[in-house]
């Protein structure tokens, strides 16, 4: 069975302290792209886009917003949202292929 990095990390967290050392989980987290560049994501506020690039915070990448309120936006209105600076917005879905 294959998992996306964020799914694998959730499995590790579920075994933290019993099956896996918290120290090693955090080390692993710092050395992988939890949400790989180019992955399609849905956000908690209804926006959708793709992972544009990583930040220094592994689980808070920059998202290129392509859809708002269930409508694609014109290419001239596409913009980047840095989740490292928007703590109230979280990734709710991630897929490596468009939906």
């Amino acid at each position: 069975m294959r998992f996306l990095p964020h799914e694998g990390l959730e499995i590790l967290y579920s075994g933290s302290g019993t099956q896996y050392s918290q120290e090693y989980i955090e080390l692993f987290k710092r050395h992988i792209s939890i949400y790989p560049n180019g992955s399609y994501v849905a956000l908690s506020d209804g926006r959708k886009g793709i992972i544009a690039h990583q930040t220094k915070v592994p689980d808070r990448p920059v998202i290129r917003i392509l859809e708002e309120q269930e409508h694609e936006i014109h290419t001239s209105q596409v913009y980047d949202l840095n989740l490292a600076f928007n703590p109230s917005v979280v990734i709710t879905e991630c897929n490596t292929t468009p939906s």
Side-chain angles (χ1 to χ4, degrees):
M1 184 175 291
R2 298 184 328 186
F3 297 100
L4 290 172
H6 72 281
E7 295 168 325
L9 190 60
E10 286 299 318
I11 292 169
L12 293 175
Y13 276 133
S14 71
S16 177
T18 55
Q19 294 176 301
Y20 311 108
S21 162
Q22 181 67 31
E23 177 184 346
Y24 288 124
I25 294 171
E26 293 305 317
L27 182 65
F28 175 73
K29 181 180 173 181
R30 286 193 308 268
H31 288 87
I32 65 165
S33 290
I34 297 170
Y35 298 104
N37 292 347
S39 296
Y40 295 85
V41 295
L43 303 176
S44 58
D45 63 4
R47 291 181 279 187
K48 294 183 180 179
I50 61 170
I51 304 295
H53 60 88
Q54 304 300 309
T55 67
K56 291 184 179 186
V57 184
D59 55 348
R60 308 295 292 168
V62 173
I63 312 298
R64 180 142 307 132
I65 302 298
L66 305 173
E67 184 178 316
E68 290 185 334
Q69 301 162 351
E70 299 184 22
H71 294 93
E72 288 184 26
I73 57 179
H74 188 270
T75 54
S76 66
Q77 297 174 316
V78 169
Y79 61 96
D80 288 351
L81 176 69
N82 187 335
L83 293 185
F85 299 117
N86 292 276
S88 64
V89 180
V90 296
I91 294 172
T92 57
E93 296 177 37
C94 179
N95 198 330
T96 56
T97 57
S99 52

